[in-house]
Amino acid sequence: LLDKMGGSMGFLGKGVPPTQMMNMVMGSLYKQFTQKAINNFDDFHVAVLDIFNNFNSALPGRHFDFPTPDQIKGCFTQWKEAKDEEEKKKVFIEFMSKRVKPSKLDDVTLLTGIVSPPAAMAAKRAGENVPQLKLIKLIPDVIFVPTVTILAIVSAKLSRRMYLK
């Protein structure tokens, strides 16, 4: 009896194979995609960006880079030239499979995230000894450190974006 239970539990633990899961996800994405009226490139572009936007809003902490307008235009051209609905679906799924990639953390953001917590603690300890900053003692460490870390990461990302433009 135990062996049978272990066998069934092992079967349940494996779940759906990754390729089958990917096909199900891509199929539902295409269904969502085709529910929109697509008459020209602008409609196509908005529909693709809407899917990426849904990815980014539905998955906390994990974000996906949007494809460039040129990449979307190339996909639109192939999609428009497709002979039937099945070929259009294939073009769409191939495009999404290539383009749906998690955004990578840049070195500055990663370094800021690592360095900020100890720096925040050191700054808080130093601030507690300055008469003008005595109120800093009232803020608990569990609130102060994450807040300073998040602010540091956000400012690093914003300054990097402004610098790269």
Side-chain angles (χ1 to χ4, degrees), residues 108-142:
V108 173
T109 307
L110 188 62
L111 195 58
T112 304
I114 292 171
V115 171
S116 294
M121 282 304 299
K124 185 170 189 248
R125 295 293 172 256
E128 288 172 351
N129 297 328
V130 177
Q132 292 87 348
L133 300 177
K134 285 273 184 197
L135 288 176
I136 208 166
K137 279 185 178 180
L138 300 176
I139 303 170
D141 291 348
V142 295

Side-chain angles (χ1 to χ4, degrees), residues 89-156:
K89 184 177 181 179
K90 185 179 174 192
V91 166
F92 174 81
I93 288 174
E94 190 175 299
F95 175 76
M96 292 303 284
S97 297
K98 286 181 187 173
R99 300 290 168 221
V100 176
K101 294 185 176 126
S103 57
K104 303 245 188 302
L105 279 177
D106 59 343
D107 293 340
V108 173
T109 307
L110 188 62
L111 195 58
T112 304
I114 292 171
V115 171
S116 294
M121 282 304 299
K124 185 170 189 248
R125 295 293 172 256
E128 288 172 351
N129 297 328
V130 177
Q132 292 87 348
L133 300 177
K134 285 273 184 197
L135 288 176
I136 208 166
K137 279 185 178 180
L138 300 176
I139 303 170
D141 291 348
V142 295
I143 293 173
F144 184 80
V145 174
T147 303
V148 170
T149 302
I150 288 170
L151 289 173
I153 290 172
V154 167
S155 65

